Structures are given as C-alpha cells and as structure tokens.
C-alpha cells in the first residue's frame, strides 16, 4: 500500500479538502473510522511521527510495540517512496504526491510549494500545528502555512509541549515529530543498545500521548496515528543508514486508533 494514499485519507477523515496532487485514499483506514463513527469523520487527529522505525523492527521486536498496539485497532503496512530519506518521505506523507511532484527528490529541506494537507486544513478554518526539533525536516519543509509551529531543541521539550497542546485542546490536527531513534541509529547502528532504547522511548511516548488524548479530547471523536516515514539498515561501515531501494528502508508499518468522544 503506497504512502501516497495517506494524505487524502486523513483529509477525508477530518472532513477537509484533499491536497491537490494527492493519490487516492487508503480504503482500509477510511473504513476503520467509518466503522467507529457514524459520520465517518473525526474532530481531532494526532499524528505521532517517529523517524526511521521500519516494518522490520515490528517484525523482530513485536512485543516492544505492546504500548502502541494497546491504543490502536489497525496495523497498516505501507511502502514509502524513493529515495527513502526523511524530507522526501514526509513530503509525500503530507501531500500525497510523489517526490518529483512535491519537489524534494534528495536529502534537502526546501519549503514545499505545492498544496499540502496543512493547506487544506487551514482553508477549512481548522487549526493545525507541528511540534518538532530545530533543523529537522518537519521544522522546515512545511513552513509558510497558516498554522502554528513549535520548534524546540530536544525530544523532551517536544513531547512536553505536545502534552501541553493536547491538554489545551485547540488544534484539529497535531503533528509531533521525534527523531531520536534515527539519530541514535546513524551514530551507532539500528540495533545497538542506544538505538533500541530510543525506539522504545518512541513507543512509550506514543503511550503517554494517547493517554493524554483520551483524557483531554473527550469532547471529540479522535484518530491517533503512530506513523514513521521510512526504515533503515546497517551499512558496510556498521552504522545505521537509509535511502536505498530495499525492504528494510522502504517497508513501514503505521498504527491507527479511534477514540470516541464521551
């Protein structure tokens, strides 16, 4: 299932226009929401984006995903785009377009010029925000939109701010990016003690954010997503890397959960 279908799916679920160049929606994810809510729509979406968590991690360390599985009903296998590097993949995730269309075709971080999901959300008078670390792709490629940006210096600050924003309950679409596993993998290797600790921190962070949604978004029908951009592998030098046309880099697993209002 191509990552290009995600943007249109999230747009339909939130009840906003699809990005102009988005691929057709992913029916299985839409059906999850349709089966959960009579309107087949939600009022709130939380997208948690842990960098570089590939499908192979789920296959090999399945039990470590327990806190993700606890809050979700759908495990959605996806194929990301080439080259499988962060700005390219997130560009596709939130435009629904192939790299040659959204304009990022290598590891660089220009502001995307085409219509994105963030644009259609703001045009629908809904509010979106990105919480990410300074210098990362998510802090740069979606700038200059009518939305809010919380650009911070550490994963700890990012996640504390995300909890604060969930409690304030003012955003219809909230994106939270964590790049700690990706950085640890590059510095060491994908299954090093340091890297796996960072990955497990991503899982526990999602657990905390999901609990916060259940506590503070009780007036809303909500969708939460654990949604990585690409995978990774060990290179010949023994370090973590990605960007290649290989299953370890391309195959990812997203997890989605619906939370009805009370």
């Amino acid at each position: 299932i191509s990552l290009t279908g995600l943007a249109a799916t999230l747009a339909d679920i939130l009840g906003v226009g699809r990005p102009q160049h988005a691929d057709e929606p992913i029916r299985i994810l839409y059906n999850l929401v349709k089966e959960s809510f009579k309107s087949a729509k939600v009022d709130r979406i939380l997208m948690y984006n842990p960098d570089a968590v590939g499908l192979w991690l789920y296959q090999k360390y399945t039990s470590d995903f327990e806190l993700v599985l606890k809050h979700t009903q759908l495990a959605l296998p996806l194929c990301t785009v080439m080259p499988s590097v962060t700005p390219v993949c997130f560009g596709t995730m939130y435009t629904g377009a192939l790299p040659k269309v959204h304009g990022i075709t290598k590891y660089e971080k220009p502001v995307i010029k085409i219509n994105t999901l963030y644009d259609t959300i703001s045009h629908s008078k809904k509010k979106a925000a990105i919480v990410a670390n300074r210098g990362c792709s998510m802090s740069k490629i979606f700038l200059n939109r009518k939305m809010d940006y919380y650009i911070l210096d550490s994963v700890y600050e990012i996640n504390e701010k995300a909890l604060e924003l969930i409690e304030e309950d003012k955003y219809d679409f909230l994106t939270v990016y964590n790049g700690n596993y990706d950085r640890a993998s590059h510095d060491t290797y994908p299954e090093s003690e340091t890297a796996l600790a960072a990955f497990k921190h991503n899982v526990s962070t999602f657990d905390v954010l999901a609990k916060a949604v259940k506590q503070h978004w009780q007036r809303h029908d909500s969708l939460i997503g654990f949604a990585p951009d690409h995978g990774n592998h060990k290179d010949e030098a023994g370090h973590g890397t990605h960007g290649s046309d290989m299953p370890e880099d391309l195959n990812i697993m997203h997890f989605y959960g619906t939370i009805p209002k009370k």
Side-chain angles (χ1 to χ4, degrees):
I1 303 172
S2 176
L3 183 64
T4 56
L6 185 60
T9 315
L10 296 176
D12 288 357
I13 290 169
L14 193 58
V16 303
R18 297 176 184 175
Q20 182 180 0
H21 301 282
D23 201 354
E24 288 299 304
I26 300 167
R27 187 55 50 184
I28 189 173
L29 177 53
Y30 178 80
N31 286 342
L32 169 68
V33 174
K34 186 177 180 181
E35 291 167 3
S36 300
F37 310 116
K38 292 180 180 179
S39 65
K41 300 281 192 300
V42 299
D43 310 308
R44 294 281 189 270
I45 296 179
L46 169 71
M47 290 291 284
Y48 176 63
N49 292 141
D51 200 320
V53 177
L55 171 63
W56 70 266
L57 265 175
Y58 176 62
Q59 293 171 320
K60 189 168 183 178
Y61 298 96
T62 309
S63 62
D64 290 321
F65 282 82
E66 180 181 355
L67 295 177
V68 175
L69 298 172
K70 182 177 74 171
H71 296 290
T72 57
Q73 298 90 40
L74 176 65
L76 181 64
L78 295 168
C79 183
T80 194
V81 289
M82 277 293 294
S84 47
V85 293
T86 303
V88 176
C89 298
F90 278 127
T92 290
M93 188 181 298
Y94 292 116
T95 65
L98 290 170
K100 64 182 180 182
V101 177
H102 66 62
I104 305 179
T105 58
K106 58 184 178 180
Y107 190 81
E108 58 184 5
K109 305 172 185 178
V111 175
I112 290 176
K113 303 299 184 184
I114 70 167
N115 192 241
T116 73
L117 179 59
Y118 298 109
D119 295 302
T120 65
I121 290 171
S122 65
H123 294 161
S124 301
K125 308 301 182 184
K126 294 181 182 291
K127 297 188 69 175
I130 291 174
V131 192
N133 60 284
R134 206 173 310 279
C136 77
S137 299
M138 287 298 292
S139 74
K140 292 187 172 185
I141 65 175
F142 298 112
L143 290 174
N144 305 333
R145 267 81 191 178
K146 293 181 179 179
M147 58 182 290
D148 291 337
Y149 305 90
Y150 298 90
I151 310 304
L152 303 161
D153 292 319
S154 70
V155 167
Y156 173 80
E157 292 174 293
I158 290 167
N159 297 337
E160 286 298 304
K161 175 57 70 172
L163 287 172
E164 178 185 319
L165 297 177
I166 291 170
E167 183 174 356
E168 291 176 2
D169 187 21
K170 66 179 182 179
Y171 292 107
D172 305 285
F173 191 88
L174 182 60
T175 309
V176 181
Y177 169 80
N178 278 184
N180 50 327
Y181 172 68
D182 182 62
R183 288 194 298 275
S185 173
H186 285 300
D187 290 343
T188 57
Y189 58 94
E191 295 179 81
S192 72
E193 183 177 349
T194 303
L196 290 179
F199 148 65
K200 291 175 184 178
H201 184 264
N202 291 158
V203 170
S204 62
T205 296
F206 181 75
D207 176 51
V208 171
L209 296 177
K211 288 176 179 176
V213 167
K214 291 176 180 179
Q215 179 180 356
H216 298 294
W217 289 3
Q218 293 186 14
R219 296 184 296 112
H220 310 286
D221 289 331
S222 303
L223 178 76
I224 56 174
F226 182 97
D229 50 345
H230 55 71
N232 63 7
H233 67 279
K234 185 190 287 189
D235 64 16
E236 293 181 359
H239 291 288
T241 189
H242 50 87
S244 300
D245 186 5
M246 59 192 299
E248 290 82 357
D249 290 2
L250 292 176
N251 293 341
I252 54 177
M253 183 78 91
H254 282 197
F255 301 84
Y256 291 96
T258 55
I259 304 173
K261 62 184 175 183
K262 291 187 178 179

